[in-house]
Amino acid sequence: MGEQKITASSVNRAKTYQLVLFPLNNGATNVYYVLVLSYIATFGSKVLALSMLFASVMVTGMRLFDAITDPIIGALMDRTNGKFGKFRPFMVIGNLIMAASILVLYCLTPLIPASAMGLRYAAFVGLYAVWVIGYTFQTSCTRSGQTVLTNDPKQRPLFTIFNTVGSLLGMGAMQFFAPILAKNYEGGYASAGFFRTLAPVGIVISILLTLLAVIAITPKDRPEFFGTGKPIKVGIKDYWDTLKNNRAIQMLVLSASTDKLGSSAKSSAVMVAMFACIAGSNLLQSNVTGLVTIPSTIVCFLFISFFATRLGQRKAMLIGSVGGLVINGALAALWLLGDPTTMTSNPATGALNWGYFLILYLVLTIIAAGFQGISGNIVIPMTADCADYEVYRTGKYVPGLMGTFSDALGTYSQQQLEAYMKFTEARETLNEYEKQLETAKQTYEDAKEKAMASSDVSKMLDIDTLAQLIYAQNFSMPAGYVQDKDGESWLLKVGEEYDSVKDISGALLLHVEGYGEVRLSDVADVEVIDNSADSYTRLNGEKASILKIYK
């Protein structure tokens, strides 16, 4: 398709309140991001009693599902042009979908009986999938909606700044309320009551932020701000032409994907391993993170303000990427050449030791966050630039495709790495469980052998004791008389003499703890032997018989 040059007649500028409030749409979705992705694995394993491995891997798999749904919803957005605009319906409907799915997931699924675990698994996966669709509905508007908000090159970098603030506002609100609510329930973050309370709180916050964002974009969500201002139908062929020939979006997607890939490599799991295994203290990480969180946010804000507004978005993107590579390389060299164990004076408590290593680590981490914040956040307004270029190139207005495609490919690359890391973690967990199982089996066998040795009947019974036990049970003696209704008297006897081999074999000898009852047949073979030839009596040298009379 040949290029069709379209020249804009005027610059579309946004008012200050619109630049400030519309990024709250990102804050609204980040409320759910924390509400779901930070806690859903714990909810699944602790509250619903699902497999922890299943819950963790499923969450990663569903984020790949998110990457698939992104372009589909983007195409649907491009074809929407009703009386409520192009973006507002997706913002409102997406938020309502997330609210409904989270309420049902966190408040109703725990009511499913534990005996119906299959239904719990199905509800967990299904509701999470519905939430992903709602999340994509709303979050895609943050990127796409900028195309109508402003096309002023001086205003779009400002959107990056306000977007960072809006994102932190949504995430910060949930991180503020969560520990407060968790204290009110026994079991804390693992209690069903915590989730029943946290879900409505998050939903209310997200709805308020969404309403503010809707107010901001309402004056601009009109056809005259959609590309050339004239409705143009867009089909599959147009999407293919855009992806094939729009060099700007190709390079931006490549840049955003590698940036997300690099950010994922420095995940929380990796940091936990670094501090626990290399620095020698698991608690050290939380103490260090508490020191760098706020300064990193401030530096990120200042870096974006300085580089993006003064040098332009493209140069700011390059500076952020190169700066992130250099500083992270310096951090890697510090850990390889220095001694991370010197960061703490007490590994048990994670107490900080203010030596050169800790100071250098804090400074480099804060600077790295500033550079990575530029490359990570400036992608959003640059996506709007790519959409404007497509309008200039072909006259096609496809903000949904631009926003969701760049996010989808970046998410897919990120989730590939995260999925690999999750499966690697799962494999190592299974290996560890196998080792524990083998150890448990060996412990059981050792305990069994010890128990059998300690319960060796031969050590408890000798031939004399055995004879005494048999003799003591083989008795019968009178216990008086009882008369029936006819006046007849009956002799009562206590005890029981052996009448057969079976009676003797079943004689109870003793009870062994951990084994049970020991009977004569367990320790001896019982049989009748004619020993009359070995037993005889003589009187005055003649064979005789003995008659014993007991009284």
Side-chain angles (χ1 to χ4, degrees):
M1 178 184 291
E3 291 190 355
Q4 177 184 352
K5 308 298 184 182
I6 305 294
T7 303
S9 58
S10 62
V11 176
N12 173 28
R13 294 185 177 88
K15 295 181 179 180
T16 303
Y17 83 91
Q18 293 172 326
L19 289 174
V20 173
L21 294 183
F22 180 65
L24 295 180
N25 185 68
N26 206 13
T29 55
N30 277 344
V31 168
Y32 286 108
Y33 186 90
V34 175
L35 185 62
V36 175
L37 294 183
S38 295
Y39 300 110
I40 194 169
T42 301
F43 173 78
S45 61
K46 301 298 183 181
V47 178
L48 297 184
L50 307 181
S51 165
M52 183 64 178
L53 181 60
F54 168 82
S56 300
V57 173
M58 191 280 301
V59 169
T60 302
M62 277 297 178
R63 294 183 70 180
L64 294 175
F65 171 71
D66 179 28
I68 297 173
T69 58
D70 277 352
I72 298 174
I73 293 175
L76 183 62
M77 182 183 297
D78 289 335
R79 298 188 180 193
T80 301
N81 190 13
K83 65 177 181 178
F84 295 108
K86 183 182 290 291
F87 305 105
R88 286 172 291 169
F90 285 86
M91 294 167 64
V92 174
I93 294 174
N95 197 273
L96 292 178
I97 290 175
M98 287 190 287
S101 59
I102 289 304
L103 276 177
V104 175
L105 178 64
Y106 282 165
C107 300
L108 298 183
T109 53
L111 301 179
I112 298 175
S115 57
M117 289 302 295
L119 183 58
R120 284 190 177 186
Y121 275 98
F124 185 76
V125 175
L127 289 170
Y128 187 80
V130 171
W131 176 83
V132 166
I133 294 174
Y135 181 81
T136 305
F137 260 61
Q138 185 170 1
T139 194
S140 59
C141 296
T142 303
R143 294 172 182 258
S144 306
Q146 290 181 80
T147 57
V148 298
L149 195 66
T150 179
N151 60 13
D152 187 345
K154 294 183 179 180
Q155 283 192 329
R156 278 191 174 160
L158 296 176
F159 183 89
T160 305
I161 299 173
F162 294 121
N163 181 66
T164 303
V165 175
S167 299
L168 293 174
L169 180 62
M171 298 178 70
M174 295 308 298
Q175 292 169 347
F176 172 78
F177 284 110
I180 296 176
L181 296 175
K183 293 179 181 178
N184 296 326
Y185 297 96
E186 184 178 355
Y189 295 97
S191 66
F194 166 72
F195 288 96
R196 284 196 302 268
T197 307
L198 184 66
V201 171
I203 289 171
V204 170
I205 295 173
S206 183
I207 289 177
L208 290 176
L209 295 177
T210 300
L211 289 176
L212 292 174
V214 168
I215 292 172
I217 201 174
T218 295
K220 295 296 186 76
D221 194 12
R222 302 201 306 267
E224 57 262 36
F225 296 104
F226 300 163
T228 62
K230 299 177 181 179
I232 300 176
K233 291 184 178 181
V234 180
I236 300 298
K237 291 183 179 180
D238 297 304
Y239 288 142
W240 174 247
D241 175 72
T242 298
L243 299 177
K244 181 181 178 182
N245 298 307
N246 191 319
R247 186 69 173 172
I249 192 64
Q250 291 174 358
M251 294 296 99
L252 182 62
V253 167
L254 179 62
S255 178
S257 300
T258 53
D259 180 72
K260 281 192 173 184
L261 200 61
S263 299
S264 299
K266 197 177 179 181
S267 64
S268 58
V270 173
M271 298 306 297
V272 168
M274 289 175 63
F275 278 91
C277 301
I278 302 177
S281 175
N282 196 19
L283 296 176
L284 176 63
Q285 184 195 9
S286 60
N287 294 336
V288 172
T289 302
L291 290 176
V292 301
T293 299
I294 295 178
S296 296
T297 303
I298 296 174
V299 169
C300 178
F301 185 88
L302 294 176
F303 275 27
I304 293 174
S305 301
F306 179 82
F307 291 111
T309 55
R310 296 193 180 189
L311 303 178
Q313 295 180 135
R314 179 178 176 275
K315 288 185 178 180
M317 181 73 169
L318 292 173
I319 291 173
S321 299
V322 174
L325 288 172
V326 172
I327 301 301
N328 278 292
L331 278 169
L334 178 65
W335 279 74
L336 289 172
L337 303 177
D339 185 5
T341 60
T342 60
M343 284 193 290
T344 178
S345 57
N346 186 354
T349 61
L352 300 178
N353 177 37
W354 290 94
Y356 82 92
F357 192 99
L358 178 60
I359 295 174
L360 282 176
Y361 177 76
L362 293 175
V363 171
L364 291 175
T365 299
I366 293 171
I367 296 175
F371 282 120
Q372 290 176 208
I374 299 175
S375 57
N377 289 284
I378 210 166
V379 171
I380 297 178
M382 291 185 75
T383 302
D385 290 344
C386 293
D388 290 344
Y389 173 68
E390 186 62 22
V391 174
Y392 169 79
R393 191 180 72 88
T394 65
K396 306 293 184 181
Y397 180 60
V398 286
L401 173 68
M402 292 293 179
T404 55
F405 176 72
S406 61
D407 188 55
L409 194 55
T411 300
Y412 179 73
S413 300
Q414 179 187 17
Q415 297 317 312
Q416 277 186 311
L417 179 60
E418 289 191 5
Y420 173 77
M421 294 175 66
K422 286 288 185 183
F423 282 115
T424 301
E425 182 181 351
R427 186 178 64 247
E428 293 302 319
T429 301
L430 288 175
N431 291 338
E432 183 62 28
Y433 285 160
E434 288 180 356
K435 292 179 182 178
Q436 293 178 10
L437 181 59
E438 290 299 325
T439 302
K441 286 182 177 180
Q442 186 60 45
T443 303
Y444 169 76
E445 293 296 333
D446 293 344
K448 180 181 177 182
E449 184 178 348
K450 183 178 180 181
M452 293 300 293
S454 62
S455 61
D456 188 355
V457 177
S458 63
K459 296 180 180 179
M460 301 180 183
L461 295 174
D462 54 25
I463 192 64
D464 294 331
T465 304
L466 188 60
Q468 292 174 9
L469 288 172
I470 296 172
Y471 182 78
Q473 296 186 52
N474 183 32
F475 78 97
S476 177
M477 62 179 293
Y481 292 88
V482 63
Q483 290 184 337
D484 60 17
K485 63 180 181 177
D486 298 326
E488 296 288 338
S489 297
W490 299 86
L491 176 65
L492 295 181
K493 294 190 301 181
V494 294
E496 184 176 1
E497 293 181 311
Y498 299 133
D499 296 327
S500 64
V501 173
K502 183 177 180 181
D503 291 341
I504 301 176
S505 299
L508 178 63
L509 302 179
L510 70 163
H511 182 86
V512 178
E513 187 68 28
Y515 178 81
E517 295 179 342
V518 178
R519 299 186 180 273
L520 183 58
S521 58
D522 296 325
V523 298
D525 296 327
V526 182
E527 58 181 310
V528 178
I529 299 176
D530 185 3
N531 64 345
S532 58
D534 299 327
S535 179
Y536 55 88
T537 301
R538 294 181 181 274
L539 181 61
N540 297 327
E542 300 293 334
K543 292 182 179 180
S545 297
I546 296 177
L547 175 64
K548 293 182 180 180
I549 300 176
Y550 296 92
K551 182 178 179 180

